[in-house]
Short mmCIF file of all heavy atoms in Angstrom, two decimals:
data_model
loop_
_atom_site.label_atom_id
_atom_site.label_comp_id
_atom_site.label_asym_id
_atom_site.label_seq_id
_atom_site.Cartn_x
_atom_site.Cartn_y
_atom_site.Cartn_z
N GLU A 116 83.86 102.71 77.04
CA GLU A 116 84.59 103.83 76.43
C GLU A 116 84.05 104.13 75.03
O GLU A 116 83.92 105.30 74.65
CB GLU A 116 86.07 103.49 76.38
CG GLU A 116 86.69 103.34 77.76
CD GLU A 116 88.15 102.97 77.70
OE1 GLU A 116 88.67 102.81 76.56
OE2 GLU A 116 88.79 102.85 78.76
N GLU A 117 83.72 103.08 74.28
CA GLU A 117 83.11 103.31 72.97
C GLU A 117 81.72 103.91 73.12
O GLU A 117 81.32 104.77 72.31
CB GLU A 117 83.04 101.99 72.21
CG GLU A 117 84.40 101.39 71.87
CD GLU A 117 84.27 100.06 71.17
OE1 GLU A 117 83.12 99.60 71.00
OE2 GLU A 117 85.32 99.49 70.78
N ALA A 118 80.98 103.50 74.15
CA ALA A 118 79.66 104.08 74.38
C ALA A 118 79.77 105.55 74.76
O ALA A 118 78.94 106.37 74.33
CB ALA A 118 78.94 103.30 75.48
N ASP A 119 80.77 105.92 75.55
CA ASP A 119 80.98 107.33 75.89
C ASP A 119 81.29 108.15 74.66
O ASP A 119 80.80 109.29 74.51
CB ASP A 119 82.11 107.45 76.90
CG ASP A 119 81.74 106.87 78.26
OD1 ASP A 119 80.53 106.68 78.51
OD2 ASP A 119 82.66 106.61 79.07
N GLU A 120 82.10 107.59 73.77
CA GLU A 120 82.44 108.32 72.54
C GLU A 120 81.20 108.50 71.66
O GLU A 120 80.98 109.59 71.10
CB GLU A 120 83.53 107.56 71.78
CG GLU A 120 84.03 108.26 70.53
CD GLU A 120 84.72 109.56 70.84
OE1 GLU A 120 85.24 109.70 71.96
OE2 GLU A 120 84.73 110.45 69.95
N LYS A 121 80.38 107.46 71.54
CA LYS A 121 79.14 107.59 70.76
C LYS A 121 78.20 108.62 71.38
O LYS A 121 77.56 109.39 70.67
CB LYS A 121 78.44 106.24 70.66
CG LYS A 121 79.19 105.21 69.83
CD LYS A 121 78.45 103.89 69.80
CE LYS A 121 79.21 102.85 68.98
NZ LYS A 121 78.50 101.54 68.99
N ARG A 122 78.13 108.62 72.72
CA ARG A 122 77.26 109.58 73.40
C ARG A 122 77.74 111.00 73.17
O ARG A 122 76.94 111.92 72.96
CB ARG A 122 77.20 109.25 74.89
CG ARG A 122 76.20 110.13 75.65
CD ARG A 122 76.10 109.73 77.11
NE ARG A 122 75.36 108.49 77.28
CZ ARG A 122 75.90 107.32 77.57
NH1 ARG A 122 77.22 107.23 77.71
NH2 ARG A 122 75.16 106.24 77.71
N ARG A 123 79.05 111.22 73.19
CA ARG A 123 79.58 112.57 72.93
C ARG A 123 79.27 113.01 71.49
O ARG A 123 78.94 114.18 71.24
CB ARG A 123 81.09 112.59 73.18
CG ARG A 123 81.46 112.65 74.65
CD ARG A 123 82.93 113.00 74.82
NE ARG A 123 83.79 111.95 74.32
CZ ARG A 123 84.27 110.96 75.07
NH1 ARG A 123 83.96 110.91 76.35
NH2 ARG A 123 85.06 110.04 74.54
N VAL A 124 79.39 112.08 70.54
CA VAL A 124 79.09 112.42 69.15
C VAL A 124 77.61 112.78 69.00
O VAL A 124 77.25 113.77 68.33
CB VAL A 124 79.48 111.26 68.22
CG1 VAL A 124 78.99 111.51 66.81
CG2 VAL A 124 80.99 111.06 68.23
N LEU A 125 76.73 112.00 69.62
CA LEU A 125 75.30 112.27 69.52
C LEU A 125 74.94 113.58 70.20
O LEU A 125 74.09 114.33 69.70
CB LEU A 125 74.51 111.11 70.13
CG LEU A 125 74.58 109.78 69.37
CD1 LEU A 125 73.83 108.70 70.13
CD2 LEU A 125 73.99 109.92 67.96
N GLU A 126 75.55 113.87 71.34
CA GLU A 126 75.27 115.13 72.02
C GLU A 126 75.76 116.31 71.20
O GLU A 126 75.09 117.36 71.15
CB GLU A 126 75.93 115.12 73.40
CG GLU A 126 75.26 114.17 74.39
CD GLU A 126 76.00 114.12 75.72
OE1 GLU A 126 77.09 114.74 75.80
OE2 GLU A 126 75.49 113.47 76.66
N ALA A 127 76.92 116.17 70.55
CA ALA A 127 77.40 117.25 69.69
C ALA A 127 76.47 117.46 68.50
O ALA A 127 76.18 118.59 68.09
CB ALA A 127 78.82 116.94 69.21
N ARG A 128 75.97 116.36 67.92
CA ARG A 128 75.03 116.47 66.82
C ARG A 128 73.71 117.10 67.28
O ARG A 128 73.08 117.86 66.56
CB ARG A 128 74.78 115.09 66.23
CG ARG A 128 73.98 115.11 64.93
CD ARG A 128 73.72 113.68 64.46
NE ARG A 128 74.98 112.95 64.29
CZ ARG A 128 75.03 111.66 64.00
NH1 ARG A 128 73.90 110.95 63.89
NH2 ARG A 128 76.20 111.07 63.84
N LEU A 129 73.33 116.79 68.53
CA LEU A 129 72.10 117.36 69.06
C LEU A 129 72.23 118.86 69.26
O LEU A 129 71.28 119.61 69.05
CB LEU A 129 71.76 116.67 70.39
CG LEU A 129 70.47 117.10 71.07
CD1 LEU A 129 69.26 116.76 70.21
CD2 LEU A 129 70.34 116.44 72.44
N ARG A 130 73.42 119.32 69.63
CA ARG A 130 73.62 120.76 69.81
C ARG A 130 73.72 121.49 68.48
O ARG A 130 73.29 122.65 68.36
CB ARG A 130 74.91 121.00 70.62
CG ARG A 130 74.80 120.61 72.08
CD ARG A 130 75.98 121.15 72.87
NE ARG A 130 77.24 120.65 72.32
CZ ARG A 130 77.86 119.55 72.78
NH1 ARG A 130 77.30 118.84 73.75
NH2 ARG A 130 78.99 119.16 72.24
N ASP A 131 74.27 120.84 67.47
CA ASP A 131 74.49 121.51 66.20
C ASP A 131 73.28 121.48 65.27
O ASP A 131 73.17 122.30 64.37
CB ASP A 131 75.69 120.87 65.46
CG ASP A 131 76.97 121.06 66.25
OD1 ASP A 131 77.01 121.96 67.12
OD2 ASP A 131 77.91 120.28 66.03
N THR A 132 72.39 120.51 65.45
CA THR A 132 71.28 120.38 64.52
C THR A 132 70.23 121.46 64.76
O THR A 132 70.06 121.97 65.87
CB THR A 132 70.64 118.99 64.65
OG1 THR A 132 69.64 118.85 63.64
CG2 THR A 132 70.01 118.80 66.02
#
Side-chain angles (χ1 to χ4, degrees):
E116 296 178 359
E117 296 178 357
D119 292 342
E120 184 64 26
K121 292 179 181 178
R122 186 177 286 105
R123 282 194 294 267
V124 172
L125 292 176
E126 289 176 354
R128 189 183 303 174
L129 183 63
R130 289 192 302 267
D131 297 340
T132 185

